[in-house]
Structure formats: C-alpha cells, structure tokens
C-alpha cells in the first residue's frame, strides 16, 4: 500500500479543459463585385473560438510528460473552422532540466517569437478578424513537427529549434500526370489543327498570298494545338495541385529571444522546402518595451521565394512552379484577413509598429500600423505596397470576460493585380468590429 501510494504521488497527472468563446459583429465596405457594404456576425473578432486539453504527468526529478490538443470553431454557427483540421494543434512531449521536446502539429518558430516577444497588442497577441502580420508567418502552424526548446531558469533567454517532415510530398506524380494530359490533348487536337491549318491556307490564297499559304497553315495548326494543350494542362493543374499543396512540408528553423526589465528582443528564421523544389526563406526580428501601463512594439518580417523559373513550354517545370506558388499564396493570403493578392511575386517585406495603454484596470487601448511591400512579379502586375492600420479598445468585465471595439483600414497600390480580393478588385477597405469574449 505504501509503495503504491508513493508511485501514485510520483506520477500524478493533471488534465485541464480550457477554451475561448468569442463572437463579434463586423461591418466592412467595398465587398463583392458591387463594392457594397457587408455586415455579418463572425465567430471570433479578437480571438478565434476554441477549446482544448492540456495534459501533464509528473515523472519525478523535475521532469514531466505533456500533451496538448486544440480544436477551433466558429461560435456564430457552431461549426468547425472549415479551413483547418479538427485539431489545429496536437502534440505530445517531454520537459525536464535539459529543455522541452515536443512532437506533432504545433505553432512554428516565427509565430512563437513574434507573439511572445513583440505581439501586436499587450492583452491579445493579434486581432483575429484583422491580422496582416500572420501572413508573414509561413502558415503559422507546422504539421509533422519536432521542436526543442531550452531556456535559462529565469526564462530571460529562450531558444527553440524546429524540424518538420515532408513525408515524401513531391510533385513527381503531378508532373507525369500533366505530361500525360498534354500528350492526350495534343493527339485529340490533331483533327482540329488540320482543319485550322487548311482554313488559314485557304484564307492566304484568297488574299493573294499563295506563297505564304504553307506558313499560315503551319502557324494556325501550331496555335490550335498549343491552346488545346494549355487548356488541358491548366485544367489538370487546377484539379490536382491543391492535393499536393495541402500536403506535408519540410521546415527547418529556430528562434532566440531575450527578456528582462520590460525589454524583450527576439528574432527567428524558418526555411520551408516546397514540393516543386523551391524554398521559402522567412525571417523576423523585433522587440517590445513595457513600462507601467505603456507598451511599445516594433518588428520586421521578410519572406523570399527561391525558385527556378520554368521556360515556356516546360510543362513539368510549370507544374512545379504553380504548385509552389499556390502554397506560398495560401500562406501570404490565407492568414491576413485582408491583404493583397500574391500572384507571381517572390518577395514580401513588412514593418510593424504599435503601442498599447492601460487607462484603467479594466480599459485597454491599442493601435498598430503595418507597411508591406511586394516585389518580384515578372511583368510587375503584382508588385506593390500595402498599408494596414487597426485600433482597438478592450474593456474587461472580469479576468475572464471582456468586450472590444475595433476599427481597421487597408489600402493597397501598385500593379494591376494588387487588389484586396479578386471579387471586388478593391484597393481600400474599412472594417468595424464589436465583440464579446469569454475565457474558461
């Protein structure tokens, strides 16, 4: 009995159920083809609604096992987030005197260093309804990920290394499929090509250019086949690229942060190796300062794609490029809640600066400005700039419940493809958000 009690005491477990329920009403202008106003309820204004489990087991000797699972949902409808897996985070690990090792789907090192060191707001890392900074975080979360974190006893210094497994996710099968689709389209197009060539030759003869009839026939037939092949390859890519783009990615990186006496400084780097052979290098650097009720923060982020551009007619190369650009495009636009379209640009930079002020124990004010620049578009259509600004007032009814009011504005400029979204083609948009949040 005594031995059993000792073993139980040495290996005690703790299971915590926690969550956030956040619902807001948001109004935006310049929405849709008619550039109309849109008012709707959203399932998360300041924070996305979620629930999770934190599990710890004391292993003795200052060590413990841990597990974390987090599910996100839309509180306005009760449905799960359609853009995310059932568990947005799910990992298991060990923590002891020599650091912490975790395995699974986790926040990546870019997200970690920004939110822990120079977050946009002192009372919430970012505003979920308007978060342009997350578009620079290479997806923010990483699946199939190993992370090792080491900190000094005072946690003045914290460092993390990350490695995520690609698990064989490549474009080889896509390339073979695209080449097969091109070959089939070319064969199917031959009768039409012959007809197009004959028609062009006849037109040349009728115009008194009998000597140029053969050249006209050849050009028309080639154009017909080229268009048919292009249409087939584009259709194949549209149907099959998303599956590979949603697959596992190899990522390697780390961050280091220092914090003492209200000053926090940090930086991080993450390389994402894409299935088509390109690399996305992402850097961030910044800091913050707290003194009494005042909070300042400043940060910089850079994303750069290293890609071997395929030559015209290189179908396999074009498929590789399209797959990699689709992945980066989802990273750059999927998290921003209002940004500019990535297109074929290969570089994006962002500077962020903000402050917060706690007027009373219940009332916090915060404002943040982001300036982004996008470049590398071959024809310049997607080169441009964006300015984002957001201001939020947050009132705490208690430690668990608060209400908030936010105003945001987005303005973009540059090439013809630099728009906030494809439907509206708008270059400016203002949003107003009023919401209520409860933590448990």
């Amino acid at each position: 009995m005594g031995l059993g009690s000792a073993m139980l005491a040495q290996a005690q477990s703790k299971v915590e159920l926690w969550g956030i329920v956040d619902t807001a009403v948001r109004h935006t202008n310049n929405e849709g083809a008619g550039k109309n106003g849109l008012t709707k309820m959203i399932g998360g204004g300041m924070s996305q609604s979620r629930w999770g489990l934190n599990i710890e087991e004391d292993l003795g000797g200052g060590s413990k096992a841990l597990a974390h699972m987090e599910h996100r949902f839309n509180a306005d409808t009760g449905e799960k987030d359609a853009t995310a897996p059932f568990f947005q985070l799910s990992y298991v690990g060990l923590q002891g005197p020599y650091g912490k090792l975790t395995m699974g789907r986790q926040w990546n090192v870019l997200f970690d260093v920004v939110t822990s060191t120079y977050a946009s707001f002192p009372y919430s890392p970012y505003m979920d309804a308007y978060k342009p900074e997350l578009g620079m975080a290479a997806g923010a979360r990483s699946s199939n990920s190993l992370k090792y974190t080491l900190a000094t006893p005072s946690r003045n210094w914290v460092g993390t290394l990350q490695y995520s497994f690609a698990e064989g996710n490549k474009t080889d099968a896509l390339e073979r499929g695209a080449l097969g689709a091109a070959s089939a389209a070319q064969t199917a197009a031959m009768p039409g090509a012959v007809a197009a060539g004959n028609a062009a030759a006849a037109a040349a003869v009728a115009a008194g250019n009998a000597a140029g009839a053969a050249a006209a026939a050849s050009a028309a037939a080639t154009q017909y086949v080229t268009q048919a092949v292009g249409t087939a390859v584009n259709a194949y890519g549209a149907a099959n690229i998303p599956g590979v783009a949603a697959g596992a990615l190899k990522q390697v990186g780390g961050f280091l942060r220092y914090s003492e006496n209200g000053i926090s400084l940090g930086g991080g780097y993450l390389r994402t190796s894409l299935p088509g052979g390109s690399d996305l290098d992402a850097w961030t650097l910044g800091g913050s300062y707290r003194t009494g009720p005042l909070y300042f923060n400043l940060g910089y982020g850079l994303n750069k794609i290293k890609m071997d551009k395929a030559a015209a007619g290189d179908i396999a190369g074009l498929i590789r490029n399209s797959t990699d650009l689709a992945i980066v495009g989802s990273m750059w636009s999927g998290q921003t809640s209002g940004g500019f379209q990535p297109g074929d640009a290969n570089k994006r930079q962002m500077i962020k600066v903000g402050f917060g002020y706690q007027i009373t124990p219940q009332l916090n004010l915060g404002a943040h400005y982001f300036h982004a620049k996008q470049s590398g578009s071959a024809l310049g259509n997607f080169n441009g700039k964006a300015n984002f600004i957001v201001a939020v007032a947050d009132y705490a009814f208690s430690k668990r419940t608060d209400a908030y009011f936010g105003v945001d504005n987005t303005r973009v400029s540059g090439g013809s493809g630099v728009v906030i979204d494809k439907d509206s083609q708008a270059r400016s948009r203002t949003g107003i958000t009023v919401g209520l949040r409860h933590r448990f």
Side-chain angles (χ1 to χ4, degrees):
M1 182 67 177
L3 178 60
S5 298
M7 291 177 66
L8 287 172
Q10 191 175 16
Q12 288 182 346
S13 294
K14 180 178 71 174
V15 180
E16 176 190 41
L17 173 66
W18 64 276
I20 300 173
V21 182
D22 185 326
T23 305
V25 175
R26 179 167 170 82
H27 176 82
T28 49
N29 65 358
N30 286 339
E31 294 277 5
K35 293 185 170 59
N36 302 312
L38 175 64
T39 302
K40 61 182 180 180
M41 181 172 286
I42 58 176
M46 207 66 204
S47 303
Q48 190 175 20
S49 297
R50 71 198 80 166
W51 63 265
L53 292 172
N54 286 325
I55 304 167
E56 293 184 359
E57 181 187 16
D58 185 357
L59 301 178
S63 298
K64 63 182 178 181
L66 56 91
H68 178 90
M69 292 170 284
E70 181 179 310
H71 171 73
R72 300 205 170 200
F73 63 96
N74 298 318
D76 55 328
T77 64
E79 298 175 350
K80 72 172 290 292
D81 182 354
T83 65
F86 186 85
F87 284 117
Q88 274 278 44
L89 299 174
S90 55
Y91 57 85
V92 63
L94 294 171
Q95 182 173 338
Y98 300 102
K100 180 172 70 172
L101 176 68
T102 50
M103 307 166 62
R105 180 171 169 83
Q106 310 174 63
W107 294 114
N108 69 29
V109 291
L110 301 174
F111 182 93
D112 282 343
V113 70
V114 173
T115 57
S116 66
T117 312
Y118 41 103
S120 298
F121 300 100
Y123 47 86
S124 188
Y126 53 88
M127 183 180 183
D128 192 68
Y130 191 79
K131 49 190 178 188
E133 65 268 51
L134 260 67
M136 302 293 291
R141 303 171 185 86
S142 298
S143 295
N144 317 306
S145 181
L146 281 172
K147 286 172 66 176
Y148 175 71
T149 300
L150 187 63
T152 58
S154 64
R155 294 193 66 82
N156 285 358
W157 288 96
V158 179
T160 295
L161 296 174
Q162 173 188 335
Y163 183 88
S164 302
F165 296 87
E167 300 185 342
N169 187 34
K170 296 183 177 295
T171 58
D172 296 356
L174 276 181
E175 295 169 43
R176 291 193 296 270
L179 290 170
S183 178
Q186 184 175 20
T187 300
M190 292 312 296
V194 171
N198 291 338
V205 171
N209 184 25
S218 177
T222 300
Q223 182 181 17
Y224 187 92
V225 172
T226 299
Q227 289 178 342
V229 169
T231 299
V233 171
N234 289 339
Y236 176 85
N240 294 279
I241 284 176
V244 175
L249 300 172
K250 178 184 174 182
Q251 294 184 310
V252 181
F255 81 81
L256 183 67
R257 69 180 295 266
Y258 171 79
S259 184
E260 189 171 15
N261 297 325
I263 298 175
S264 295
L265 300 170
Y269 166 75
L270 186 67
R271 165 165 283 191
T272 302
S273 298
L274 302 169
S278 307
D279 291 317
L280 173 67
D281 288 330
W283 297 85
T284 184
L285 180 69
S288 64
Y289 177 64
R290 288 178 188 264
T291 175
L294 196 58
Y295 171 77
F296 291 100
N297 68 92
L298 176 68
Y300 170 78
L302 168 67
N303 282 193
K304 178 75 168 105
I305 309 170
K306 297 179 178 179
M307 174 183 290
D308 291 330
K309 292 290 184 70
D314 179 4
I315 293 173
L318 291 171
I319 285 291
R320 290 193 295 270
N321 289 175
S322 297
T323 302
D324 291 349
L325 286 173
I327 294 170
V328 176
S330 68
M331 292 177 174
W332 282 3
S333 61
Q335 293 278 0
T336 59
S337 299
F340 45 7
Q341 301 299 304
D344 67 335
N346 63 18
K347 184 178 180 180
R348 185 179 285 188
Q349 302 173 78
M350 178 179 284
I351 297 173
K352 63 191 283 297
V353 60
F355 78 95
Y357 191 80
Q358 187 171 6
I359 296 178
T360 72
Q362 290 78 34
L363 182 60
N364 277 281
L365 299 180
H368 215 89
Y369 169 72
F370 310 85
H371 176 74
K373 180 181 179 181
Q374 186 167 278
S375 57
S377 175
L379 299 178
N381 294 338
F382 292 92
N383 293 338
K385 298 179 180 181
N387 293 287
F388 312 88
I389 188 167
V390 56
V392 181
D394 184 278
Y395 183 84
F397 296 103
S398 68
K399 290 183 178 180
R400 296 180 178 272
T401 303
D402 60 326
Y404 52 87
F405 173 80
V407 178
D408 56 80
N409 180 261
T410 302
R411 293 183 180 275
V412 301
S413 62
S416 60
V418 181
V419 293
I420 295 176
D421 61 69
K422 295 178 181 179
D423 292 338
S424 70
Q425 297 290 303
R427 293 201 170 202
S428 67
R429 178 169 294 153
T430 298
I432 300 173
T433 307
V434 181
L436 184 66
R437 174 174 58 174
H438 177 76
R439 306 171 183 87
F440 63 89

